[in-house]
Amino acid sequence: MPRPRAFDERQVLERAREQFWATGYAGTRMDDIAQATGLGKGSLYGAFGDKGKLFHRVFGDWCAAVVEVAEGRLAGGPDAEALARLSGYVHLMAENAASDTERRGCLLAKGAAELAQHDPTVAGRSAETMTALLTLLRAEISAAQRHGDIDSAADPERLAALLLTVVRGIEAVGKAGLDPETLRNIADTALAVLPMPEGQKQKRSATRRSPAREN
């Protein structure tokens, strides 16, 4: 009968994630993870496999968290609130990038940039995550169209792809050094260019800035 593990798996994964996040996949050795977690390499290999398998576990958990955050903002609800939900999500992404003073960026973006070309697991998980985000955005755009806040003639798939590119791009340019106010302005502009029916400009203006950001 196998002995129960004498460590907190969640805590070990969090520390491994921090190490990968700080130094990247190629720049991280199992010795580094052993030091960060306080476990011997034998215990790490026994519990999680080699470095690649451990990174896949950490990366998968991160991707799931990215989708969970989006679901928290884009979880559906009354069509009348869909535009506000979209606004809240886009502004949240801008605020997250603005607060990243260490410029570490997102592990999803870092892992995909480093490994997706030659690691099918990372490539597949990245694509699944982007598809899930695209689906959530598209559903809210369609809801806003039904309510008359976004032009019903516009293609919700294309608008969702535009917003997804903006929110992921904000993280990238923030990491490159753009100042927080510029990141916030990018979010405002992306929402402002969503096509709206005639007579909706005043209503759109009221939702451009998230209340949570102004507190």
Side-chain angles (χ1 to χ4, degrees):
M1 181 175 179
R3 292 182 301 171
R5 293 176 180 172
F7 59 85
D8 185 330
E9 181 177 286
R10 180 185 59 81
Q11 185 179 72
V12 170
L13 288 170
E14 287 177 354
R15 291 178 179 175
R17 178 198 67 203
E18 291 296 312
Q19 188 64 51
F20 282 124
W21 197 7
T23 56
Y25 180 79
T28 299
R29 304 170 304 159
M30 286 299 278
D31 286 333
D32 300 322
I33 296 174
Q35 183 175 2
T37 61
L39 294 179
K41 288 194 293 184
S43 296
L44 288 170
Y45 284 121
F48 305 106
D50 60 19
K51 186 177 83 166
K53 290 180 180 178
L54 177 56
F55 181 80
H56 290 161
R57 175 71 179 275
V58 168
F59 188 75
D61 289 348
W62 182 279
C63 290
V66 167
V67 175
E68 184 177 348
V69 168
E71 288 174 338
R73 292 284 179 157
L74 306 172
D79 289 355
E81 299 171 4
L83 184 59
R85 291 192 294 269
L86 283 168
S87 177
Y89 176 67
V90 173
H91 285 130
L92 174 65
M93 295 298 99
E95 285 303 316
N96 286 348
S99 64
D100 183 16
T101 57
E102 297 181 14
R103 298 185 185 176
R104 292 196 296 177
C106 174
L107 186 61
L108 168 57
K110 292 181 73 170
E114 185 178 3
L115 297 173
Q117 183 178 4
H118 51 79
D119 187 323
T121 298
V122 170
R125 196 68 179 85
S126 300
E128 289 173 6
T129 304
M130 292 301 159
T131 299
L133 296 176
L134 193 65
T135 299
L136 289 166
L137 288 165
R138 183 177 61 241
E140 294 292 10
I141 289 168
S142 295
Q145 288 178 305
R146 289 192 297 269
H147 188 254
D149 289 324
I150 296 177
D151 188 353
S152 61
D155 185 340
E157 185 78 29
R158 292 187 178 187
L159 293 181
L162 172 64
L163 288 184
L164 179 59
T165 302
V166 168
V167 297
R168 302 309 305 180
I170 286 174
E171 180 266 328
V173 297
K175 185 180 177 182
L178 286 188
D179 64 271
E181 191 57 29
T182 298
L183 302 181
R184 294 173 182 130
N185 289 338
I186 292 170
D188 286 337
T189 302
L191 292 163
V193 301
L194 292 175
M196 68 185 83
E198 292 296 327
Q200 292 297 314
K201 290 185 178 181
Q202 184 176 359
K203 185 175 182 180
R204 174 71 54 81
S205 178
T207 63
R208 284 179 62 186
R209 288 188 176 261
S210 166
R213 198 182 69 199
E214 295 175 353
N215 288 342

